[in-house]
Amino acid sequence: MSENGNATTKEGIGNERLSSLVGELEEYIKEFIRRNEVTYDEWHPVVMYLHELGQSGEMPLFLNLFFESTVEEVTYKDSGSSASTIEGPYYIDGPPILEPPYELPRREKEPGEVLFFTGTVRGEDGTPLPGALLDIWQSDGNGNYSDLPPGLPSHDPTAPDYNLRGKIHADPEGAFEVRSVVPAPYEIPSAGPTGRLYRALDITTFRPAHIHLKIGFEGYETLITQLFFEGDEYLGMDAAQGAVKDDLIATLEKHDDPEDYRQRGLEEPYYTLHYDFVLAKARQPVAS
Ligand code: MBD
Ligand code: FE
């Protein structure tokens, strides 16, 4: 953290920066209230709504749905990396570091069709980044995530810890392959305060199916992103506004030739997905 408190760290926000951010936020909200002549009939429900939102455990969901894409925009502005998008509320620390051949942890009867996800991780000049770390998490074939952050129950309590979550390394050529399942579109909790607001606004509570990634390599900016699938019915109306970017829509290819899938040791068709990621060098602080 810099002395003037202009940066954030895991430990928090510097005092000076905190005063400045809270002060400015206060001003924006006061100005908003004046400009809209917000009445007590409006104010009281807002207070109770935010109270309920906090109690429900949906605050991270709500904040990430509405505002994270702007933090992401600021973070990756002018970055030379391939397309980034929001992390969302369901990343959890400490996923297992997997060993090749890579397979995300899954249940014996994991819902969802078999997926082989391949890709490369390179620098902006195309040089492979050998050993790049890919931290991957996704919903299952029913759109459920395993263990959610503290305070939130898993979408599917039968899923073991870290189901469909794990870290893998790119090989010496910067390439990787990991077996998983094809995730399904995800619906945000519809019974809680977030879903209630979405219905009142008449916007969809669904997110297109997606796979989350955080990709890191020493000396490079960590890339936080998601991949979506061509043809998904929710691509144009994501509940997380602004999260889908054209460059993040990849093609799921179905392989249903029995000879082909049996060669892979499968008794059912499988899908492949490929994506080439680019990481940008970490930016040096600009000298003043
Ligand atoms: C998700 O799975 C997600 O990725 C986001 C951004 C919001 C809610 C649920
Ligand atoms: Fe998600």
Side-chain angles (χ1 to χ4, degrees), residues 132-165:
L133 185 66
L134 298 104
D135 191 343
I136 305 173
W137 71 106
Q138 63 168 85
S139 75
D140 64 20
N142 295 327
N144 293 317
Y145 284 88
S146 61
D147 31 17
L148 301 185
L152 289 178
S154 166
H155 291 136
D156 181 353
T158 68
D161 284 349
Y162 297 111
N163 201 49
L164 299 176
R165 299 171 181 270

Side-chain angles (χ1 to χ4, degrees), residues 87 90 137 145 186 207 210 212 226:
E87 174 176 325
Y90 296 148
W137 71 106
Y145 284 88
Y186 165 85
R207 297 212 60 217
H210 56 281
H212 291 270
Q226 302 176 25

Side-chain angles (χ1 to χ4, degrees), residues 56-136:
S56 70
E58 290 184 8
M59 190 62 92
L61 171 75
F62 182 95
L63 290 174
N64 288 318
L65 286 171
F66 279 92
F67 302 116
E68 192 197 339
S69 64
T70 311
V71 179
E72 180 258 323
E73 172 193 314
V74 168
T75 301
Y76 291 101
K77 184 167 181 283
D78 302 325
S79 168
S81 69
S82 50
S84 53
T85 192
I86 61 177
E87 174 176 325
Y90 296 148
Y91 179 75
I92 54 165
D93 277 329
I97 299 169
L98 306 175
E99 294 294 333
Y102 293 121
E103 302 191 4
L104 291 189
R106 66 176 189 277
R107 291 161 285 188
E108 208 168 309
K109 293 221 164 84
E110 188 60 50
E113 294 177 277
V114 178
L115 171 67
F116 291 96
F117 172 28
T118 60
T120 60
V121 184
R122 296 173 197 274
E124 283 174 86
D125 59 1
T127 41
L129 301 180
L133 185 66
L134 298 104
D135 191 343
I136 305 173

Side-chain angles (χ1 to χ4, degrees), residues 19 26-27 75 90 109 111 135 184 205 245 284:
S19 302
E26 263 181 69
E27 280 316 307
T75 301
Y90 296 148
K109 293 221 164 84
D135 191 343
T205 49
K245 299 176 185 177
Q284 301 300 318

Side-chain angles (χ1 to χ4, degrees), residues 239-284:
Q241 274 179 49
V244 175
K245 299 176 185 177
D246 286 349
D247 286 352
L248 293 175
I249 302 173
T251 310
L252 272 176
E253 280 189 61
K254 188 169 188 175
H255 304 259
D256 53 9
D257 172 5
E259 212 176 305
D260 175 351
Y261 60 71
R262 284 192 192 122
Q263 232 166 34
R264 290 238 189 197
L266 298 171
E267 276 142 42
E268 61 193 283
Y270 64 95
Y271 287 83
T272 54
L273 176 74
H274 184 90
Y275 200 85
D276 295 313
F277 298 96
V278 174
L279 300 194
K281 284 237 169 75
R283 286 180 266 197
Q284 301 300 318

